[in-house]
């Protein structure tokens, strides 16, 4: 499964500071560290970045790829910053991913044409103006709208990563099973199967700190069983990576060797 | 409607490994498609064939095979030159079988001298093989590696029991390395992991799945090779991406079909033809499973396989 590292994020203080100061050190170090621990792609979350977002995105994409030779998942709601990132992205190690489009008309109309223009991958969040539908069936309806827009923009189905959206189990326990069901149903929307992605840690939002890693890990295993293709997670959480590698082994996606955890 | 050839898509590719130096250096591997399916992906190099020679006269080879090398096999240097110059060998594989404790028990120093002399006489790339005694090979291959320094040889074989010393020697003298495990895809992966964890570059490894002759378990080798190759190409498993070598002659020319005289087995036909056919057929099977390098003994078998490769590529 593709691991998208989540640690370069404007929410954390050190990274935000480094972004503001254009200080390469902490950002490159975090990039290298995540790749070393199993990330095949890095999420670059610069937030809404309303002020000179394009400059920041251009700088950070070049900064990260100077140190870590992986493709990037560009995470901003600012379309101007998104386009700057796509322009700056070096595709030598794989194509960039847009994080994200959704069923909201405005966002879909902004982001999907960028995927077509730059030939990038794109995450489709299955929510719309009314929020996240309770039922997996209704999330599939939104997925269909996103897929329709993709056809219009010349984006191939295999470049779309559908995200069912994970809800915190402490507040909406019944939703955890619904998102698993949604993964299974998304896969059936196309042949070859649609690809899927989740922002995993939301499952344990609001749970005590000691419980969060366990909830995250077990939920990941369940989603992977349904065919989850990628997840935005913290690759520095060693036990999570071990679960992912082990599920890949048990499902026959990688070849077993006694040292499989070390690879 | 026109026929469209269905094509498989691949996620990974086999490493390309160069052996030897100068204009005669040989590249193996590099393919991103299953064997002989060049229409599905790049296949930059044809499978290579190395002629096997030994540091001591091949008394244990069947007579029909010994006869081919009768005039040269007493001296490994002459033998190597004969293979290179007369038979047109693309590569030479020198097996230091005389170092085996149960054979002549030649010393590591003697082996090193043989390696030096052979290298001085040829410019074809050299594969240096121990006697398959893990303990003795650790010493012998160390001296051989030093003696071959700068010639970018392929050294073999690193096995679970001795890989640490063999890897260290190959690394110190800048050689490529054969990693062999006992007919087990998971152990093959494990050995590659252990070798790379020592700091040895995975792009310098060639995998020996352990060969077996036609009629004597070739199907086990075949299926291990298939699984290695599909891990590399479909799962993009970096630890499984080295090219593969098959030590063909050594396993073929000891089975009864290549040795039994016609007098004992009249229905089997002339023993000389039988051996050649057995070696060529075994080698062909390995090519179908993805072999990138064959170590063979009989010139006629080599010729047959070479022709087949030329026709299929």
């Amino acid at each position: 499964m593709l691991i998208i590292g989540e640690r370069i994020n404007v929410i954390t203080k050190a990274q935000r500071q480094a972004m503001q100061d254009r200080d390469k050190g902490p950002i490159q170090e975090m990039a290298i560290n995540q790749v070393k621990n199993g990330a095949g792609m890095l999420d670059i979350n610069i937030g809404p970045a309303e002020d000179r977002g394009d400059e920041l995105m251009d700088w950070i994409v070049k900064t990260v790829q100077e140190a870590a030779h992986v493709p990037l998942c560009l995470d901003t709601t600012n379309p101007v910053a998104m386009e700057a990132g796509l322009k700056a992205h070096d595709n030598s190690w794989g194509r960039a991913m847009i994080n994200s489009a959704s069923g909201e008309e405005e966002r879909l109309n902004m982001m999907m044409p960028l995927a077509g223009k730059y030939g990038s991958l794109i995450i489709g969040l299955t929510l719309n103006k009314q929020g996240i539908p309770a039922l997996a069936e209704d999330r599939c309806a939104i997925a269909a709208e996103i897929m329709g827009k993709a056809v219009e923009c010349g984006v191939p189905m295999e470049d779309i990563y559908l995200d069912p959206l994970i809800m915190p189990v402490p507040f909406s326990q019944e939703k955890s099973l619904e998102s698993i069901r949604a993964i299974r149903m998304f896969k059936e929307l196309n042949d070859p199967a649609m690809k899927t992605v989740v922002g995993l840690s939301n499952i344990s939002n609001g749970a005590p700190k000691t419980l969060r890693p366990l909830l995250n890990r077990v939920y990941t295993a369940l989603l992977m069983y349904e065919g989850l293709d990628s997840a935005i997670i913290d690759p520095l959480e060693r036990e999570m990576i071990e679960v992912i590698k082990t599920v890949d082994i048990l499902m026959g996606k990688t070849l077993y060797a006694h040292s499989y955890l070390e690879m | 409607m026109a026929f469209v050839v269905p094509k498989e898509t691949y996620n990974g590719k086999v490493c390309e490994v160069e052996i030897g130096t100068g204009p005669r250096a040989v590249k193996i591997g590099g393919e991103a498609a299953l064997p002989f399916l060049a229409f599905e992906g790049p296949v930059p190099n044809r499978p290579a064939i190395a002629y096997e020679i030994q540091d001591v006269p091949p008394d244990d080879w069947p007579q029909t095979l010994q006869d081919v090398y009768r005039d040269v096999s007493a001296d490994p240097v002459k033998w190597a030159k004969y293979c290179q110059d007369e038979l047109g060998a693309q590569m030479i594989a020198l097996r230091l079988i005389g170092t085996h404790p149960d054979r002549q028990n030649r010393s590591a120093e003697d082996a090193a001298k043989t390696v030096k002399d052979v290298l001085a006489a040829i410019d074809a790339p050299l594969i240096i093989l121990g006697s398959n005694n893990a303990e003795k090979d650790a010493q012998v291959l160390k001296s051989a590696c030093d003696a071959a320094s700068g010639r970018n040889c392929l050294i073999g074989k690193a096995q679970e029991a001795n890989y640490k010393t063999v890897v260290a020697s190959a690394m110190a003298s800048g050689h490529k390395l054969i990693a062999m495990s006992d007919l087990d895809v998971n152990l093959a992966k494990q050995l590659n992991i252990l070798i790379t964890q020592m700091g040895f570059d995975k792009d310098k490894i060639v995998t020996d799945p352990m060969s077996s002759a036609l009629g004597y378990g070739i199907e086990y080798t075949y299926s291990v090779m298939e699984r290695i190759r599909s891990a590399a190409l479909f799962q993009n498993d970096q630890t499984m991406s080295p090219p593969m070598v098959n030590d063909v002659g050594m396993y073929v020319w000891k089975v009864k079909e290549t040795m039994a005289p016609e007098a004992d087995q009249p229905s089997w036909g002339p023993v000389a033809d039988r051996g050649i056919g057995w070696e060529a057929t075994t080698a062909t099977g390995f090519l179908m499973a993805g072999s990138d390098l064959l170590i063979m003994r009989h010139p006629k078998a080599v010729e047959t396989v070479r022709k087949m490769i030329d026709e299929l590529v």
Side-chain angles (χ1 to χ4, degrees):
Chain A
M1 189 181 73
L2 174 65
I3 295 166
I4 305 171
E6 69 182 7
R7 293 292 294 265
I8 298 176
N9 194 319
V10 72
I11 295 169
T12 55
K13 196 169 164 232
Q15 293 293 316
R16 182 173 60 240
Q17 196 62 47
M19 288 181 203
Q20 275 168 5
D21 303 344
R22 301 291 194 269
D23 178 7
K24 285 183 174 184
I27 291 171
Q28 292 187 332
E29 195 183 321
M30 185 54 84
I32 292 167
N33 218 351
Q34 291 185 89
V35 172
K36 216 183 271 170
N37 284 283
M41 189 181 252
L42 298 176
D43 192 69
I44 308 296
N45 185 347
I46 62 166
E50 274 152 12
D51 181 29
R52 294 192 301 150
D54 50 340
E55 273 172 50
L56 172 59
M57 190 59 108
D58 175 79
W59 173 82
I60 199 168
V61 165
K62 288 173 179 160
T63 296
V64 170
Q65 289 198 310
E66 191 179 287
H69 295 166
V70 291
L72 306 180
C73 180
L74 308 176
D75 196 349
T76 178
T77 46
N78 175 349
V80 180
M82 181 63 76
E83 182 153 14
L86 293 170
K87 265 189 201 154
H89 191 271
D90 183 345
N91 286 347
S92 306
W93 308 288
R95 290 179 291 157
M97 187 182 272
I98 294 173
N99 189 1
S100 54
S102 74
E104 296 158 292
E105 215 180 321
E106 196 190 351
R107 194 160 166 189
L108 189 58
N109 288 339
M110 265 179 338
M111 294 299 181
M112 194 57 85
L114 288 178
K117 184 172 173 189
Y118 290 93
S120 54
L121 311 172
I122 185 164
I123 293 176
L125 309 177
T126 52
L127 58 76
N128 57 20
K129 274 216 168 69
Q130 284 77 48
I132 304 167
L135 289 175
E137 284 79 357
D138 296 331
R139 291 183 223 180
C140 282
I142 297 175
E145 282 170 33
I146 295 171
M147 290 160 68
K149 186 73 189 176
V151 171
E152 219 175 90
C153 299
V155 176
M157 290 300 116
E158 53 266 39
D159 289 353
I160 305 171
Y161 284 70
L162 293 172
D163 184 340
L165 294 146
I166 306 299
M167 306 294 283
V169 69
F171 309 123
S172 45
Q173 191 177 351
E174 72 289 353
K175 299 275 174 58
S176 62
L177 200 54
E178 208 55 25
S179 295
I180 293 173
R181 222 161 62 81
I183 291 285
R184 191 186 315 154
M185 292 173 67
F186 287 167
K187 308 237 71 159
E188 287 165 3
L189 290 177
N190 192 48
D191 181 18
M194 292 301 289
K195 290 184 179 134
T196 49
V197 63
V198 295
L200 200 277
S201 55
N202 208 33
I203 190 66
S204 62
N205 246 337
K209 224 175 158 184
T210 48
L211 273 183
R212 292 201 61 177
L214 178 66
L215 285 165
N216 292 347
R217 289 199 298 270
V218 175
Y219 197 55
T220 300
L222 294 174
L223 291 165
M224 284 178 76
Y225 180 74
E226 294 297 349
L228 182 68
D229 300 274
S230 54
I232 302 172
I233 57 154
D234 178 5
L236 306 188
E237 217 179 282
R238 190 177 53 86
E239 286 167 317
M240 169 62 96
I241 297 293
E242 288 180 352
V243 165
I244 291 172
K245 286 180 176 173
T246 303
V247 175
D248 274 338
I249 289 282
L250 295 174
M251 291 189 63
K253 306 240 171 164
T254 48
L255 186 62
Y256 176 83
H258 297 325
S259 298
Y260 76 86
L261 285 181
E262 293 156 44
M263 294 317 292
Chain B
M1 203 174 86
F3 173 68
V4 181
V5 181
K7 286 184 188 173
E8 191 65 70
T9 53
Y10 302 96
N11 305 311
K13 92 186 232 305
V14 177
C15 292
E16 187 173 70
V17 177
E18 190 175 37
I19 303 155
T21 53
R24 294 210 51 169
V26 172
K27 281 182 185 162
I28 59 168
E31 62 267 38
L34 287 173
F36 304 108
L37 301 183
F39 60 92
E40 289 189 336
V43 181
N45 304 300
R46 293 178 182 209
I49 304 179
Y51 271 91
E52 177 181 344
I53 66 168
Q54 297 194 348
D55 59 339
V56 293
D59 304 331
D60 57 328
W61 290 12
Q63 197 57 48
T64 53
L65 183 59
Q66 281 193 42
D67 289 347
V68 177
Y69 300 107
R70 193 177 29 217
D71 299 332
V72 294
S73 59
D75 176 1
V77 174
K78 270 194 196 154
W79 193 352
K81 277 190 75 70
Y82 176 74
C83 290
Q84 177 186 279
D85 301 337
E86 305 299 322
L87 301 177
Q90 191 184 8
M91 299 174 80
I92 308 281
L94 169 62
R95 193 184 307 278
L96 300 164
I97 192 72
T99 61
H100 197 287
D102 300 339
R103 300 286 289 263
Q104 286 88 332
N105 200 20
R106 298 179 77 224
S107 69
E109 292 71 39
D110 289 346
K113 184 170 183 317
T114 306
V115 168
K116 257 208 169 95
D117 293 346
V118 167
L119 276 171
I122 61 166
D123 52 7
L126 186 69
I127 303 169
I128 303 172
L129 302 166
S131 64
N132 241 2
N133 178 290
E135 207 178 311
K136 186 71 182 280
D137 276 0
Q139 312 164 28
V140 168
L141 292 176
K142 182 179 185 314
S143 305
C145 282
D146 291 347
S149 184
R151 291 293 292 268
N152 191 26
C153 295
L154 178 61
I155 307 295
K157 305 168 181 174
Q159 307 182 46
E160 195 183 0
N162 67 2
Y163 76 91
K164 282 187 181 158
T165 31
V166 180
V167 169
S169 308
M171 196 152 50
S173 327
H175 297 299
K176 305 298 177 354
L177 182 75
I178 298 176
M180 184 177 80
S181 37
D182 296 358
L183 276 177
D184 184 307
V185 68
N186 306 104
L187 293 180
K189 174 164 176 167
Q190 180 67 8
L191 183 60
N192 287 354
I193 294 173
L194 294 174
I195 289 171
T196 49
Q197 282 178 342
M198 285 181 68
F200 195 85
D201 189 352
K202 84 165 167 57
D203 299 338
K204 294 182 173 180
I205 299 175
V206 177
T207 295
D208 182 345
M210 183 177 266
S211 301
S212 22
L214 174 67
Y216 295 83
I218 193 175
E219 58 275 31
Y220 292 95
T221 305
Y222 193 98
S223 71
V224 167
M225 290 175 75
E226 274 188 311
R227 293 188 63 193
I228 290 174
R229 190 47 49 89
S230 62
L233 294 182
F234 297 114
Q235 301 180 334
N236 191 21
D237 190 329
Q238 296 295 311
T239 62
M240 293 276 89
S241 61
M244 292 187 280
V245 57
N246 290 96
D247 207 347
V248 182
M250 162 175 148
Y251 291 97
V252 164
W253 292 98
K254 64 180 184 190
V255 306
K256 73 170 181 283
E257 287 81 354
T258 63
M259 294 190 297
E262 200 178 350
D264 297 352
Q265 298 286 352
S267 64
W268 287 5
V271 62
D273 298 348
R274 228 191 287 139
I276 294 164
W278 219 266
E279 185 172 33
T281 310
T282 302
T284 304
F286 294 144
L287 287 176
M288 297 304 141
S291 188
D292 299 284
L293 173 59
L294 300 161
I295 300 173
M296 298 178 66
R297 289 182 176 174
H298 202 294
K300 283 192 178 156
V302 171
E303 221 23 68
T304 307
V305 173
R306 169 66 52 212
K307 240 183 241 160
M308 195 208 64
I309 293 171
D310 290 346
E311 279 173 23
L312 284 180
V313 168

